[in-house]
Amino acid sequence: MMQPDEELNRTKSRSRRLIYALSMRYLGIALVCCAAAGGAFRSRMYFVFSLCAAGGIFLAWGWFSYLAVTGLKVPGAGSLPKARPDVPYSLRQKKRRWQKPAFARTDADFEDDLTARTHVSEGEFDELQLRAVRIRARLLCSAALFALSLIIRY
Amino acid sequence: MEQQRKQEPILSAKDVRIQFNLRGQILTAVRGASLDLYEGETLAIVGESGCGKSVFTKSFIGMLDKNGRVTGGSIHYRGEELTAYTTEQEWLKVRGKKIAMVFQDPMTSLNPVRTIGEQITEVITWHFGTEHEKAKQEAIEILKKVGISDAEVRYRQYPGEFSGGMRQRVVIATAIACRPEILICDEPTTALDVTVQAQILKLIKELQQEYHMTVVYITHDLGVVANVADRVSVMYAGQIVEHGLVREIFHEPAHPYTKALLQSLPQLGVKGHELYSIKGTPPNLFKEIRGDAFAPRNPRAMEIDFEEEPPMFQISETHWAKTWLLHPLAEGYRAKIEAEDAARKDKIVPDSPFDYSHAKKLLQVKDLSVNFKLGAKQFKAVDTVSFDIYKGETLSLVGESGSGKTTIGRAIMRIYGSNVEGSILYEGEEITGRLSREKAKDLHMEMQMIFQDPMASLNERAKVDYIISEGLYNYHLYEDEKDRERKVVAIMQEVGLSQDFITRFPHEFSGGQRQRIGIARSLVMGPDFIVADEPISALDVSIRAQVINLLNKMKKERNLTYLFIAHDLSVVRFISDRIAVIHKGRLVELAPCEELFAQPLHPYTKALLSAVPYPDPDVERNKILLTYDSRMHSYETDPPVWTEILPGHFILANRQEIAIYQKEIDDAAGRRAE
Amino acid sequence: MDEKKKMPAALDPLKFRAAVYDQIAGEDVGFSNYSYWRSTLRTFFRSKAVVFLVTAVLAMIVMSIVYPIVSSVDPRAVVVDPRQWNLRPSMDHFFGTDSLGRDIWARAWYGARNSFLLGFAIACSDVGFGTLAGALWGYNKKLDPFFVELYNIITNIPSTVYLVLLAYIMNTSYLTLFFAMASRGWIVEARFFRNRILSIRDSEYNIASRCLGTPMHRIAFRNIVPHIISLIIMEAALCIPYSIGSEVFMGFVGVGLPVDAITLGNIVNQGRQSFTLHPYQMLLPTAILCLITVAFYVIGNKFADASDPRNHV
């Protein structure tokens, strides 16, 4: 039996975990793009500029998704078409994949007693919570990008 | 049943052959098996492991391993020829939607990193195309239906957060989410406790009624078969050797293999006598099999069994068997066998029960508690347990998984250091806490342990020689290399292992042989007292009998004392003198074996007894399943004490309950007097 | 019924009597002599591709060690004469020369040596620390909360973040590259080994050893190490292509090692600039790079399969 209080706390701490994981994922993608831009122009300055730009993009993305939740409809920005549902796991023929190297291994590749403590699946939350989590993750990522652009000297 | 005959089968498999390509060698796992399934019926497929039961049914849903394929025969399902399917898309029209499967290990069907709710929702949206939110509601409904309380909260949890029984319920939920016509359950309850097993079987029965499903059980547990099946197919070496209605199979088995399976059940054994056991293992299917595959293991095989494969003989409208014994020419021999069996049955008289009047106490456990730390929480695995073990007896400790029975065994073996409270006396001397090296050595030579899992209890990277001599090495219990080798060979012969095995690795042995290696490893130390931790629960029926016989033989020859830990009361009855029942870390009842079965007092014992599957369909169908809920006691104001309610019969109860139990005993005595 | 038809026409009535029961045939084991390591290696080398890849990798390792010792060609030697620049592959220069007239063949082997060294260093640190931390973690359940938090913090950051950030903040050198790569891998390895060690610790054969009074050192050497040694090999093999690949990636996004460092990443990168005019300058070192990466990845995986006793026949 789970008390409502306990449940609320669980949801809170788990959504915090998801925000962290998501924002880091965004940050990873952003950094690679920025570094590629910096590499293409062979200049550290471009890297820092692109960090700023990426920060701005993420800020805007977060802001617009917030507006979308509150009811704003951006013309021409409909939601992405839903992908066809995957074959359910229990009916898949092949479940084991190739052994991954450690760097590519995520906690989804470990089947142990720690799974519930290291992994947050989006299915734990309902639609509204998920949107809130995504907005926060985007904002956090943009903040991190801005901060990085200030830290790195060129 | 009669109407069923006239119906068309919904699924019909004919002469199915399945071959696996294992690194250049061809393994014929299924050699021409046939099967008909009728609407709404329950069919059980029984046989030892390695007989091709799972492989056969997996071919109905295209879930064979990559290197395996159907090389002959046909599988017809509602006018579709399933063997013609080649692509995954085609199979997905049938798999899950029409024919669903529940495996022994729930984790093969559950994704460990998705919440269970998502996984059921996923199945619903995939099959019916339902909107996500609506599917979610349906998933919660299904979770409730399979008996998961708090479904809304449970929806968001991961498979890892569920117990084994609960996981199996979730798997059943994902399986029925598509409303399949046929549900195949592959050993669905083998890994579960008897009480949980009984609940799961009941659940499947109810769902079967509700959804009008056809259910196929694959199992080696004949108790389960007796409980659930309308018809039974017995499978051996990739063939169906006998099939018939459940009563026909249990009461008039025709194939020697079916007879042997039934005879080797400990439930049917007589105390103090050898159980019937089937020697050896199912044949190696890499080789071509000539004649009747069971012949080499059948002490009463006929010469023709080794030469010609028998055809299916019809015994009755519904009963068929594939054995030469049914041939008209074998009539004389059959009569002879039956006469022998009858004569033997009459001769057997059970041993007299253990005499406690002169028995000495070998081991005394007083107020034993074992605590574990789980994160910040303290968890009492064993809670103030007290009992004595007398020299020469077999005391059984029975309880569900997680009840702390293994922990008690290991605490006695001094595996846990500071977690143990209370005292354990061996021959009057305290053995908990730190001991001198000399003392520890003596104890290691006096007390030994036998383990549950024949696969996990032997070091895979060591040869049999090292495994058996490990104890000898530790205390240098030999004069020279030759002496050590001699000791190892002697003990191997004693447990019935050929001395050629000495240089082999455990990987090469069958479950029963591995268990014998484990027994040899502990016996080589020459112990007086043995903790046997579920030594037979992971074994097939036929092998169980071998191991029980060996344990009994060793007990007689070496005058051993056993603490036998088990979860299955039926097995325990055959070998033990006294039985202790444990629930959530506390002993609830301890009584002489027959008394416990005749007059269980504690409600938990009663529930446990009612859940034990019995291999007789008539008994099984009429049994009433009792459930136990520890909330029924009111222990807040009046805590329970460990009381001797009758001489030798202990029970955990408070004063109020003792009065009730006392009355129960008096009533029973009164009834007997009348 | 059609089975009836298959029945032999005439059956000998004499055959319907008791046969002699062969006790030994009934107990037949059906397995031949078996040893874990022999079977692992046999399964491993059964595939022709594996034999080829292992030979190729060994040859390259030997070559990258031997060549810098034996050869007198200086990979850094710049030629002033422009006629020696951008030469096509020939007998004098197997891979040709680059835009400064340096011999690419020589550079490739020096680069392979440096990249291998970096790879082995990362593999050792990842798997080494990972095994130790995993053993600690596996043997002390009390450390669970600490390691789980650490694991969550470290692994949620993608490895590219470590690489790019460290390179930009501290400037690229062998050491920063090493730190960036080694900072994440070890905890993943630790969890991997923790699971293995936990299951070995709790498995019954280990409890059996303790019941028999086996001393700790023998438990470690007979019960634990033999069971994880194949995993260590596998994990290390899978680490190497990652570190070599990461170094190339760094060069690609412009924060690679300084130009004077000879590594496969730098050679490929320098080749990239003159790719349109002289494609071989990039293609040939890339071929070596691909071969190394793919070979180690495939070898690691095949070894993982082969070391699983379920795949032994």
Side-chain angles (χ1 to χ4, degrees), chain B residues 150-166:
Chain B
D150 256 350
E152 284 89 352
V153 177
R154 291 300 218 168
Y155 182 94
R156 288 197 295 274
Q157 292 186 341
Y158 294 86
E161 296 173 75
F162 284 63
S163 68
M166 282 293 168

Side-chain angles (χ1 to χ4, degrees), chain B residues 302-318:
Chain B
M302 296 181 290
E303 281 173 20
I304 187 148
D305 284 331
F306 289 95
E307 287 163 21
E308 298 282 349
E309 191 182 321
M312 268 286 183
F313 289 95
Q314 185 164 21
I315 302 163
S316 75
E317 185 87 14
T318 47

Side-chain angles (χ1 to χ4, degrees), chain B residues 26 30 72 134 190 212 231 265 285 434-435 440 560 576 635 639:
Chain B
I26 301 286
V30 177
K134 202 160 159 274
T190 307
H212 307 289
R231 288 197 305 131
L265 284 170
L285 294 170
R434 280 205 159 273
L435 295 180
L560 298 173
S576 44
Y635 285 160

Side-chain angles (χ1 to χ4, degrees), chain B residues 125-397:
Chain B
T125 48
W126 172 76
H127 181 40
F128 297 106
T130 324
E131 278 294 305
H132 186 267
E133 283 305 305
K134 202 160 159 274
K136 198 170 159 181
Q137 288 312 313
E138 274 178 46
I140 291 175
E141 282 308 306
I142 292 175
L143 278 178
K144 282 181 186 155
K145 194 165 270 164
V146 296
I148 288 175
S149 54
D150 256 350
E152 284 89 352
V153 177
R154 291 300 218 168
Y155 182 94
R156 288 197 295 274
Q157 292 186 341
Y158 294 86
E161 296 173 75
F162 284 63
S163 68
M166 282 293 168
R167 266 182 224 165
Q168 200 58 286
R169 281 171 196 266
V170 174
V171 173
I172 293 170
T174 52
I176 61 163
C178 286
R179 309 280 166 96
E181 264 192 309
I182 301 173
L183 182 68
I184 301 172
C185 304
D186 186 355
E187 308 262 11
T189 57
T190 307
L192 304 176
D193 287 319
V194 271
T195 44
V196 181
Q197 162 172 306
Q199 288 162 14
I200 297 274
L201 294 180
K202 202 168 140 228
L203 170 70
I204 296 177
K205 263 189 203 168
E206 285 164 5
L207 293 170
Q208 180 181 16
Q209 293 267 310
E210 195 178 331
Y211 294 123
H212 307 289
M213 283 186 297
T214 305
V215 178
V216 181
Y217 279 95
I218 300 165
T219 179
H220 66 260
D221 188 338
L222 290 161
V224 171
V225 176
N227 183 315
V228 297
D230 299 321
R231 288 197 305 131
V232 180
S233 292
V234 182
M235 199 156 178
Y236 186 76
Q239 289 181 328
I240 303 281
V241 292
E242 182 167 5
H243 64 91
L245 300 180
V246 65
R247 280 197 183 73
E248 292 169 332
I249 297 289
F250 276 87
H251 298 319
E252 301 143 26
H255 196 280
Y257 181 62
T258 318
K259 286 184 197 166
L261 274 185
L262 284 166
Q263 273 173 6
S264 53
L265 284 170
Q267 283 94 326
L268 308 179
V270 182
K271 233 182 192 166
H273 291 267
E274 279 228 326
L275 273 177
Y276 180 87
S277 74
I278 314 175
K279 298 271 168 358
T281 49
N284 182 345
L285 294 170
F286 280 114
K287 290 181 237 157
E288 177 97 29
I289 288 171
R290 195 156 163 248
D292 185 344
F294 186 57
R297 300 171 71 193
N298 180 7
R300 284 144 155 200
M302 296 181 290
E303 281 173 20
I304 187 148
D305 284 331
F306 289 95
E307 287 163 21
E308 298 282 349
E309 191 182 321
M312 268 286 183
F313 289 95
Q314 185 164 21
I315 302 163
S316 75
E317 185 87 14
T318 47
H319 191 180
W320 300 72
K322 194 178 167 75
T323 169
W324 283 119
L325 275 181
L326 295 170
H327 195 273
L329 285 174
E331 212 154 292
Y333 187 66
R334 203 169 69 224
K336 202 176 116 209
I337 289 182
E338 274 161 19
E340 271 176 33
D341 278 345
R344 207 183 42 197
K345 227 171 242 169
D346 292 338
K347 264 193 286 180
I348 295 179
V349 187
D351 259 13
S352 52
F354 188 80
D355 180 17
Y356 282 97
S357 51
H358 303 292
K360 266 199 341 221
K361 280 180 188 172
L362 184 69
L363 187 96
Q364 289 160 277
V365 176
K366 280 185 197 146
D367 295 329
L368 176 75
S369 295
V370 184
N371 301 307
F372 290 116
K373 269 211 179 97
L374 270 182
K377 274 185 241 162
Q378 270 250 341
F379 163 69
K380 256 195 165 134
V382 176
D383 189 0
T384 51
V385 159
S386 308
F387 59 90
D388 300 328
I389 298 176
Y390 294 90
K391 199 163 172 49
E393 75 162 340
T394 301
L395 174 72
S396 290
L397 201 54

